[in-house]
Amino acid sequence: MHSPPLFDAPGSCVLAVGTYTEILPHVQGRGRGIQLLAFDGATASFHERQVLTGPVNPSYLCAAAGRLYSVSEREQDAVLEIFAIEDGAAALRAVGRVAVPGAAPCHVSVNLPARQLYVSNYGSGELLCFALDADGLPLGAPQVIARRGA
């Protein structure tokens, strides 16, 4: 795929957009996966740079230190997928994938100084804490923090 150059105009940027790819009780998922879009601040227009159709319901994304982290919002068989951001933010390349315990991950966040990645599960109510290696990839199983109450 030929990618148009990034634009120098003020307000220009690259956006990664996660979508619902499957129908869920709360959404009619018709998305294509993760879309990488360039926004041209001069013309206020978007240009598609890449579409990753493999991820399922990648509704939550987080970019940090040259990586894009995505969680699949699913009741079971959810995963955390990690992509390298390459070619001046023109492309994403898969570099890792790990299972996410629990149900319906609804948020992903990275704490770079602590080398930790957090995933919260809406369906089952846990907070997961993954240790990250020097390349920003998860090291083993996450710490699972579950609280009871209302």
Side-chain angles (χ1 to χ4, degrees):
M1 172 177 98
H2 175 65
S3 297
L6 289 178
F7 308 100
D8 293 327
S12 296
C13 61
V14 175
L15 303 171
V17 180
T19 64
Y20 288 100
T21 61
E22 295 179 335
I23 295 172
L24 297 173
H26 64 283
V27 66
Q28 293 294 314
R30 295 187 183 115
R32 298 190 296 165
I34 298 174
Q35 293 176 262
L36 202 56
L37 306 172
F39 179 74
D40 182 348
T43 63
S45 61
F46 288 97
H47 303 275
E48 189 172 271
R49 299 183 78 73
Q50 183 181 19
V51 177
L52 296 174
T53 58
V56 176
N57 294 339
S59 60
Y60 291 85
L61 308 174
C62 176
R67 298 282 186 249
L68 181 73
Y69 299 90
S70 165
V71 290
S72 59
E73 189 173 336
R74 303 179 83 187
E75 286 298 319
Q76 49 187 306
D77 302 324
V79 295
L80 166 69
E81 295 184 79
I82 304 99
F83 302 91
I85 301 171
E86 298 181 329
D87 300 327
L92 299 173
R93 179 179 53 84
V95 295
R97 178 183 169 114
V98 297
V100 173
C106 63
H107 187 258
V108 60
S109 176
V110 175
N111 179 338
L112 288 175
R115 285 195 183 170
Q116 294 177 331
L117 179 137
Y118 310 102
V119 173
S120 58
N121 287 327
Y122 177 78
S124 51
E126 303 95 359
L127 174 66
L128 311 175
C129 178
F130 290 89
L132 297 176
D133 67 15
D135 292 325
L137 300 175
L139 290 167
Q143 175 186 6
V144 178
I145 302 166
R147 300 287 186 247
R148 300 290 176 231

